[in-house]
Amino acid sequence: MSNITVCARFRPLNSKEKLNGDADSVCIRCIDSETFVFKDDKDEELAFSFDRVFYEESKQDDVYQFIALPIVRDAVNAINGTIITYGQTGAGKTYSMEGPGILECDEQKQGLLPRVVKGLFDSLSPSDEEVTFSIKLSMVP
């Protein structure tokens, strides 16, 4: 990737939010894969567009395929890449990066971190050439 890609991710409601009935207070309306409408506390609606919008029902693999896989492919070709997650507490940064838990065994729910590590090592499978790789992966909480 040679450009900056900006995406929005809306995580699924967690068990506490479902129990409290917070589903009724969701203020996002899906338009398409690039646009959503936000309804503020004054009932005004504002449309926002991004390179891609991942809604509550989006699969973790879809997020990986769109955001991280191109970066993994570039990294194997010695091109640096960065994924930055930003948002308020509880917005879903950890869910996007780790999944429900970093040690979660359910492959469908794994976040970007375990998928990127697996993708890097899968891409560096043995070849006929003698090549040495140095991999550095950093995460700043």
Side-chain angles (χ1 to χ4, degrees), residues 3-132:
N3 296 320
I4 294 174
T5 302
V6 180
C7 302
R9 171 79 192 274
F10 299 101
R11 65 163 172 76
L13 295 176
N14 61 36
S15 56
K16 182 179 178 183
E17 292 164 335
K18 288 177 186 175
L19 189 64
N20 291 340
D22 290 343
D24 297 333
S25 65
V26 174
C27 55
I28 301 296
R29 184 167 42 90
C30 309
I31 299 296
D32 57 31
S33 65
E34 296 173 352
T35 306
F36 68 89
V37 172
F38 172 77
K39 188 174 182 181
D40 68 12
D41 55 354
K42 298 175 188 171
D43 283 341
E44 292 182 36
E45 292 190 343
L46 305 165
F48 293 91
S49 295
F50 294 86
D51 292 304
R52 181 74 185 264
V53 177
F54 296 98
Y55 296 103
E56 215 179 291
E57 65 279 353
S58 296
K59 294 180 175 83
Q60 293 282 59
D61 189 55
D62 294 339
V63 178
Y64 172 76
Q65 295 287 329
F66 187 83
I67 295 173
L69 186 57
I71 294 171
V72 168
R73 288 181 180 146
D74 284 348
V76 172
N77 293 312
I79 299 171
N80 291 333
T82 302
I83 298 172
I84 298 173
T85 57
Y86 179 81
Q88 67 187 42
T89 300
K93 300 176 298 294
T94 301
Y95 178 81
S96 294
M97 294 305 291
E98 296 178 6
I102 195 68
L103 299 176
E104 177 72 42
C105 294
D106 184 353
E107 194 171 311
Q108 297 295 322
K109 294 180 181 178
Q110 286 181 339
L112 291 177
L113 284 173
R115 291 173 190 272
V116 165
V117 170
K118 182 179 183 324
L120 277 171
F121 283 100
D122 287 350
S123 298
L124 300 176
S125 61
S127 66
D128 292 340
E129 300 177 35
E130 187 173 318
V131 180
T132 302

